Amino acid sequence: MNKLINEIKKKSKDLYNANNDELKNSIVKLKKRAEKEGLEEILIDWFAIVQEVSFRELGLRHFDTQLLAGILLHEGKIVEMKTGEGKTLASSLPVSLNALSKKGVHVVTVNDYLAQRDEQTMGKIYNYLELKSGLVINGQNSKEKKKNYLRDITYLTNSEVVFDYLRDSCAYNLEEIVQRPFHFCVIDEIDSILIDEARTPLILSNYQGEPNRNKLSLAKKVANNLEKEIDFQLDEKRRDINLTEKGYKKCQSLLGKKSLYDPEDPWILEILNALKAKYLFKLNKDYIILKNKIVIVDEFTGRVMEDRRWSMGIHEAIETKENVEIGSGTKTKTAITYQNFFPLYPKIAGMTGTAKTAEKEFADIYNLEVIVLPTNKPMIRKDFPDLVYQTELSKWKAVLEQSKKCYEKGQPVLIGTTTVEKSEFLSDLFKISNIPHQVLNAKPENLVRENEIIAQAGKLYAITIATNMAGRGTDIILGGNAEFLVKEKLIKYCLLTKEQFLEEIKNQKYEKKEKLIEFYEKIKIEYLRENNKLIEKIKELPLFLDEGNDCLTTTYNWMLENEKKEWKKNNKKIKELGGLFVLGTERHETRRIDNQLRGRAGRQGDPGISQFFVSLEDDLIKLFGGANLKGWVNYLLEDENIPLQSDFLTKGLENAQKKIEDYNYDIRKNVFQYDDVLNAQRKKVLKARNELLFNNTYEKLFLRYLEITIDKNCNQILTEWNKNRPNSKEKTVNIWKKKKTTLTEKTILEKSFGAYSFEKINLKTQKNKNNLYKEIWIKNDLCFASSSFYEKGFIKKTRENLLLSLIDIYWTKHIERMSSIKETINWRAYGQQNPLNEYNLEAFKSFKSMFEQIRISMIYSSLNSPIHS
């Protein structure tokens, strides 16, 4: 694509000397061309304009690799760009180009901070291009969300866009719907969303009532009495638990029950959940306790998810285990996985620093191609083979020793751990050794300072312990981040008295300190005048400097200039020391997570070092051949404190990771196959709801459903009548009376006729049958017409809401039914049946039954309405 890139750069160079009016005029002309010619025809010219606008508004000009990324993203591909290569800026090219279609473009990120930051930063480019950008975050009301979804470009998080879709799919009037039809979506950290979180369904729940606390407590006591491998089998790879026959009988005995599967009083789910809560879900790894509540920790991003709960009773079991407040019971209203949600967009593209290892899955499940882009500057980071220790204790000693060495000479260290518990254990070791450090994990007090901690992780003498570095957004700059440092100081100065301020700057390395004192006094006056809002402005720097007051802008620029002088010295010194040292303390289940950690070093051609310190007692090694490996290492090394370093061992660990990746891929593929049938059904239900909401189809649907019901029952009556011909002169109505039918069906038939007496029904001929239908049509036309005597809008809304609520009620029951079937369907394999085929058959039967129930309930409810009678 060098030819395309060169053409873009040439056109961009031609625009360099154009004034603003000329550039704006070029933008208008290109937009008009886009309406007639299409986006591909104007791509070169548009990218050239965006590159020039970016330089004028942000002082940033797209690198060649960013231009290449922009082209590939527009084509609907996944681009792998290393950390620090500028994915956010690269995305502005295809995002703004596709926004010209006026159908809306979504830019999806993994957290609210990144969505806000990127919308604010890139918004300056879009504003110049006269494109409107918006932001959708948690906490906004429907009106705000609708306004932002209608913008040309909308920045939002992966969970928010899905939950808005689910809420829209349950809306009862048009005003509640916030999204418009999907068009183009660019997903940041696409592997984290479409791979790591693919299995997790996003569930919209209804309140189900208070959970049975006595039952949960009793299940916990029973689980505590069960012995591992005797009463139950634990499969850590699959994260599953099954009772043995002995364990099942023991549970029956302890509970005094004949069966754990009794439909009137089932216990099996509570027992298994209590066991899972005890053995599979770990405190400070899978969850933390915050304000006496269980809060889930995202294993891939290390963030807490306060608005999420595990389903199927797991969350309540963990709450019981930890003796915290038990949340209200919930019932699934509707749900969807990321696997099925994002393909709803006609075109999707994605960016990440680590996608290559999952390219097969992207191709198989999402039909997306992964392209690895070269770095703008050569990568010179040194990735050393793993150091393998015999025990976990000897590993932690080595981590501490290596960190001390780096600290003594000033080299910054980033230490990656896999759990909150281990990050805090390591922090305690550092405190005992009097080594200053920062901790970044899922604890809220640490997450509040997330960007500040990451921004300064590259400073001299900095040691940072982090549970995960995926999707953090902020770059680690060698020597520290001067902009963040200036902001911190300005905020601090605002809160100090003059005496405190003078004491604070006494040891600062600023020239002409009297100038800073003058600025301080002006800032303090401004701070008080702004009712303490100045701090919010400072936090947004360097964005919108041109919109800030002169005093703040001058102070910020002057301080930044001074800080950059110091930063250049520190940057040079750290490069001489070898750059950032990334130290992994355990191999993750997937290589991508390890690569994300490694990728924090060696940014934009900087030097860097990465190495993993692992032990034979780590979970990954224990699960995959740890015993054999331990015996081999013990044979080679007598001293447990001496590590074994070999490429062979490193490759062995990577092979273990690949096995887990393949295993997890098979699970995700299996989930996708099972969910695919529900996804097709979900689309049909949503289509039916939208027909009602947008096209006012209630009357047509009602008559169609009524005809089906009458037709079905009339055919049954005719069949019975024909059986008795010609010997019997019995009236059809008597045959009807003999026929076994439900009260609902009989009521529907009786209520469907007007002057035509039910007793006079005679279906000997087709003509009589046609007369019957004419009677039904006339009767219902009169009924619908009668509603004009009432408040027509209210009547219409009530009828629609009735049907919408019926659809939701029976769809929820269908989902629950299919969830139960899915839990047990694999047993059918023992009967030589294909579980997936069986599941599809059951799903078809259940779905058909669901629509039958909706149809009958709708007609019955409507015919019994006083307005319809």
Side-chain angles (χ1 to χ4, degrees):
M1 293 190 173
N2 281 334
K3 186 181 176 184
L4 272 178
I5 291 166
N6 289 332
E7 285 183 47
I8 292 166
K9 286 163 70 179
K10 182 178 178 298
K11 286 188 179 277
S12 181
K13 195 175 180 181
D14 293 341
L15 294 166
Y16 183 77
N17 294 318
N19 61 40
N20 280 338
D21 289 339
E22 290 169 335
L23 193 57
K24 293 268 186 185
N25 192 39
S26 298
I27 292 166
V28 172
K29 286 179 179 176
L30 267 183
K31 285 182 176 179
K32 286 179 180 175
R33 275 183 60 196
E35 291 173 9
K36 297 174 184 176
E37 300 176 32
L39 301 181
E40 277 67 30
E41 282 71 22
I42 68 160
L43 184 145
I44 292 169
D45 294 308
W46 185 260
F47 277 25
I49 282 177
V50 175
Q51 191 178 38
E52 178 58 28
V53 170
S54 171
F55 181 70
R56 294 188 187 193
E57 293 296 298
L58 302 177
L60 300 170
R61 193 176 287 281
H62 300 76
F63 302 139
D64 287 9
T65 50
Q66 289 171 321
L67 292 173
L68 177 57
I71 296 166
L72 294 169
L73 288 169
H74 171 68
E75 291 177 352
K77 292 183 172 63
I78 295 172
V79 294
E80 180 179 297
M81 298 174 75
K82 301 302 177 193
T83 301
E85 290 294 302
K87 295 191 290 289
T88 305
L89 188 63
S91 68
S92 65
L93 297 161
V95 166
S96 59
L97 176 64
N98 283 270
L100 299 179
S101 65
K102 296 296 178 185
K103 294 178 182 177
V105 175
H106 291 173
V107 185
V108 175
T109 63
V110 290
N111 60 61
D112 283 344
Y113 164 74
L114 292 178
Q116 287 175 305
R117 184 202 69 179
D118 294 352
E119 194 275 329
Q120 285 180 339
T121 311
M122 298 299 108
K124 299 190 87 173
I125 296 174
Y126 305 140
N127 287 339
Y128 194 103
L129 296 167
E130 294 186 1
L131 294 170
K132 291 181 180 177
S133 64
L135 175 71
V136 171
I137 54 173
N138 189 27
Q140 289 177 333
N141 59 40
S142 296
K143 193 175 179 181
E144 289 174 309
K145 285 188 173 183
K146 194 167 191 172
K147 182 180 77 174
N148 285 299
Y149 274 117
L150 287 171
R151 297 275 172 91
D152 299 310
I153 300 156
T154 307
Y155 281 82
L156 68 176
T157 62
N158 49 303
S159 60
E160 203 62 28
V161 68
V162 177
F163 279 119
D164 283 338
Y165 170 78
L166 292 176
R167 281 186 281 266
D168 280 0
S169 71
C170 298
Y172 280 74
N173 59 68
L174 293 176
E175 289 69 36
E176 292 176 20
I177 295 176
V178 297
Q179 293 179 339
R180 55 174 162 165
F182 296 146
H183 171 51
F184 176 50
C185 177
V186 176
I187 308 171
D188 193 14
E189 303 295 345
I190 192 169
D191 54 337
S192 176
I193 296 168
L194 294 190
I195 304 293
D196 299 335
E197 296 192 53
R199 274 188 291 168
T200 308
L202 282 88
I203 300 169
L204 202 63
S205 302
N206 277 337
Y207 175 71
Q208 194 180 19
E210 291 300 313
N212 190 330
R213 289 175 172 79
N214 290 335
K215 198 169 186 178
L216 288 166
S217 179
L218 196 52
K220 174 186 171 182
K221 288 175 183 175
V222 171
N224 289 339
N225 277 285
L226 299 178
E227 296 179 60
K228 191 176 174 182
E229 299 304 327
I230 297 171
D231 298 319
F232 65 90
Q233 292 175 331
L234 176 65
D235 189 336
E236 289 191 58
K237 288 181 190 176
R238 299 175 191 270
R239 285 179 69 83
D240 199 12
I241 287 178
N242 286 303
L243 290 175
T244 61
E245 188 177 350
K246 187 175 180 180
Y248 183 85
K249 288 177 180 176
K250 191 172 183 178
C251 291
Q252 283 179 301
S253 174
L254 288 167
L255 292 167
K257 299 285 178 185
K258 289 183 179 180
S259 171
L260 302 183
Y261 293 93
D262 181 359
E264 300 299 318
D265 186 25
W267 277 88
I268 188 66
L269 185 63
E270 281 79 6
I271 299 295
L272 291 176
N273 281 346
L275 287 168
K276 287 175 184 177
K278 184 175 181 180
Y279 293 99
L280 293 177
F281 290 83
K282 308 287 175 61
L283 177 64
N284 289 330
K285 180 184 178 185
D286 300 297
Y287 62 91
I288 61 169
I289 298 173
L290 176 64
K291 297 175 185 175
N292 201 36
K293 288 184 179 179
I294 298 298
V295 180
I296 299 172
V297 175
D298 188 323
E299 64 174 305
F300 300 105
T301 65
R303 287 187 173 82
V304 291
M305 300 185 288
E306 292 189 57
D307 57 341
R308 300 263 191 102
R309 286 179 69 85
W310 282 297
S311 59
M312 300 296 289
I314 288 288
H315 210 96
E316 289 83 353
I318 294 169
E319 288 168 331
T320 306
K321 164 193 166 185
E322 298 293 351
N323 297 312
V324 301
E325 181 186 342
I326 299 175
S328 301
T330 57
K331 194 175 187 179
T332 300
K333 189 176 183 181
T334 185
I336 194 169
T337 59
Y338 289 121
Q339 280 180 324
N340 281 310
F341 172 76
F342 281 103
L344 295 174
Y345 287 87
K347 182 167 79 168
I348 59 173
M351 312 175 288
T352 180
T354 48
K356 188 67 177 173
T357 54
E359 65 177 335
K360 185 180 185 300
E361 186 165 350
F362 280 123
D364 292 351
I365 304 293
Y366 304 103
N367 198 27
L368 289 169
E369 185 182 352
V370 175
I371 309 288
V372 181
L373 299 191
T375 53
N376 184 49
K377 293 179 181 177
M379 173 67 74
I380 60 171
R381 183 185 68 230
K382 295 175 182 175
D383 297 326
F384 292 119
D386 296 1
L387 292 176
V388 182
Y389 293 84
Q390 293 180 56
T391 67
E392 195 169 18
L393 182 61
S394 58
K395 176 185 77 174
W396 291 123
K397 284 180 184 175
V399 169
L400 183 64
E401 201 56 43
Q402 179 62 56
S403 301
K404 272 184 183 176
K405 285 179 187 175
C406 291
Y407 177 71
E408 283 166 5
K409 59 184 179 179
Q411 185 177 17
V413 185
L414 175 65
I415 304 171
T417 64
T418 55
T419 67
V420 175
E421 188 177 34
K422 286 175 181 174
S423 69
E424 297 199 326
F425 167 75
L426 195 55
S427 176
D428 289 340
L429 280 182
F430 278 51
K431 284 173 187 173
I432 294 166
S433 304
N434 293 316
I435 300 174
H437 62 282
Q438 296 284 351
V439 179
L440 178 58
N441 58 27
K443 291 288 181 74
E445 61 268 26
N446 296 324
L447 280 175
V448 167
R449 298 175 53 245
E450 173 182 334
N451 304 311
E452 172 198 331
I453 293 170
I454 298 170
Q456 305 307 347
K459 284 176 69 176
L460 276 169
Y461 302 99
I463 293 181
T464 310
I465 302 167
T467 47
N468 201 294
M469 290 305 293
R472 297 292 182 184
T474 308
D475 286 339
I476 296 176
I477 300 169
L478 298 184
N481 190 312
E483 290 174 351
F484 267 82
L485 192 60
V486 170
K487 285 196 284 185
E488 280 177 39
K489 287 185 177 180
L490 280 170
I491 290 168
K492 192 175 184 180
Y493 295 162
C494 279
L495 302 172
L496 298 176
T497 64
K498 189 166 184 179
E499 291 72 24
Q500 290 170 328
F501 168 72
L502 291 171
E503 185 64 30
E504 179 71 26
I505 67 166
K506 192 184 288 182
N507 299 317
Q508 297 279 352
K509 296 178 181 179
Y510 287 130
E511 300 168 6
K512 301 177 183 177
K513 286 185 184 176
E514 65 280 359
K515 199 173 181 181
L516 186 56
I517 295 167
E518 182 188 341
F519 287 141
Y520 164 78
E521 289 173 345
K522 286 181 180 177
I523 284 175
K524 196 71 180 176
I525 293 165
E526 192 70 34
Y527 173 68
L528 294 169
R529 188 192 304 150
E530 292 276 345
N531 294 321
N532 304 348
K533 288 181 182 176
L534 189 64
I535 286 178
E536 295 306 314
K537 287 185 180 179
I538 293 170
K539 285 179 181 176
E540 290 183 354
L541 294 172
L543 292 174
F544 313 120
L545 266 180
D546 50 336
E547 295 175 22
N549 59 59
D550 292 339
C551 173
L552 179 59
T553 302
T554 310
T555 308
Y556 175 82
N557 287 332
W558 180 78
M559 287 177 70
L560 186 61
E561 192 180 331
N562 276 274
E563 290 294 344
K564 280 189 173 176
K565 288 176 186 174
E566 190 65 23
W567 170 79
K568 282 179 183 176
K569 295 176 192 173
N570 293 336
N571 179 268
K572 186 181 177 185
K573 188 174 181 181
I574 291 169
K575 284 180 177 177
E576 289 168 358
L577 291 170
L580 178 69
F581 193 117
V582 170
L583 196 162
T585 61
E586 195 170 335
R587 284 283 191 163
H588 201 276
E589 281 191 356
T590 64
R591 289 168 292 169
R592 287 183 299 101
I593 307 298
D594 292 343
N595 291 339
Q596 284 166 357
L597 182 64
R598 283 190 198 276
R600 289 293 171 169
R603 173 189 172 275
Q604 286 288 334
D606 286 341
I609 298 168
S610 78
Q611 189 164 34
F612 280 80
F613 287 45
V614 298
S615 84
L616 300 178
E617 294 175 346
D618 290 348
D619 290 341
L620 180 79
I621 298 177
K622 279 195 291 186
L623 283 172
F624 286 88
N628 294 334
L629 192 58
K630 194 167 186 176
W632 184 65
V633 173
N634 287 342
Y635 174 75
L636 291 174
L637 299 170
E638 291 183 7
D639 188 346
E640 65 177 30
N641 292 315
I642 296 174
L644 192 64
Q645 182 177 7
S646 89
D647 289 328
F648 170 74
L649 271 178
T650 300
K651 283 175 183 174
L653 285 170
E654 286 177 353
N655 285 335
Q657 286 175 306
K658 194 169 186 311
K659 282 181 186 176
I660 295 177
E661 286 167 11
D662 291 342
Y663 171 73
N664 286 335
Y665 169 52
D666 288 339
I667 292 176
R668 286 191 292 268
K669 193 172 182 181
N670 189 48
V671 168
F672 179 74
Q673 288 172 330
Y674 275 92
D675 199 38
D676 201 36
V677 63
L678 271 184
N679 190 45
Q681 292 173 348
R682 186 187 297 109
K683 287 176 183 176
K684 288 179 181 177
V685 169
L686 190 56
K687 187 180 177 184
R689 286 185 110 267
N690 287 341
E691 282 284 314
L692 271 170
L693 282 169
F694 290 95
N695 300 326
N696 306 324
T697 57
Y698 180 86
E699 292 182 20
K700 289 179 182 176
L701 269 176
F702 176 81
L703 203 55
R704 190 190 309 159
Y705 285 174
L706 186 58
E707 285 173 359
I708 291 168
T709 306
I710 301 293
D711 197 45
K712 179 183 172 186
N713 285 288
C714 284
N715 283 335
Q716 288 174 340
I717 293 168
L718 274 172
T719 304
E720 289 292 327
W721 188 83
N722 284 323
K723 277 182 186 176
N724 292 297
R725 288 177 66 197
N727 300 324
S728 175
K729 295 180 180 179
E730 188 175 19
K731 288 183 179 178
T732 308
V733 68
N734 293 327
I735 296 168
W736 166 255
K737 284 177 179 175
K738 287 180 181 178
K739 177 181 170 288
K740 289 181 180 178
T741 183
T742 64
L743 181 63
T744 305
E745 287 173 321
K746 196 164 186 292
T747 304
I748 289 170
L749 282 170
E750 288 175 340
K751 289 247 182 189
S752 298
F753 310 111
Y756 204 101
S757 171
F758 182 67
E759 294 294 326
K760 294 176 184 175
I761 298 174
N762 192 318
L763 301 174
K764 290 181 183 178
T765 65
Q766 185 64 36
K767 183 182 176 183
N768 287 342
K769 193 177 176 186
N770 290 343
N771 289 336
L772 172 65
Y773 279 112
K774 285 176 186 176
E775 185 67 24
I776 294 167
W777 298 331
I778 292 165
K779 159 78 174 173
N780 286 288
D781 278 348
L782 289 170
C783 288
F784 283 120
S786 70
S787 68
S788 63
F789 290 104
Y790 301 90
E791 294 178 55
K792 191 175 180 182
F794 170 75
I795 298 299
K796 176 180 163 295
K797 202 79 229 162
T798 304
R799 286 171 176 157
E800 280 183 1
N801 286 351
L802 166 71
L803 183 50
L804 289 170
S805 65
L806 287 171
I807 290 171
D808 291 346
I809 288 165
Y810 288 111
W811 172 247
T812 298
K813 287 182 178 179
H814 171 64
I815 288 175
E816 287 180 341
R817 197 156 50 234
M818 293 316 301
S819 180
S820 300
I821 290 169
K822 191 176 176 182
E823 290 292 315
T824 57
I825 201 76
N826 284 325
W827 290 102
R828 299 198 188 184
Y830 292 103
Q832 305 302 311
Q833 294 171 317
N834 183 307
L836 183 59
N837 290 344
E838 290 297 304
Y839 179 81
N840 286 342
L841 287 170
E842 292 290 347
F844 176 75
K845 288 178 195 172
S846 177
F847 194 64
K848 187 179 176 184
S849 169
M850 179 195 84
F851 262 111
E852 183 78 6
Q853 288 169 316
I854 291 169
R855 178 171 62 81
I856 295 292
S857 298
M858 173 195 177
I859 300 165
Y860 183 77
S861 301
S862 295
L863 290 174
N864 277 290
S865 165
I867 295 164
H868 205 282
S869 57

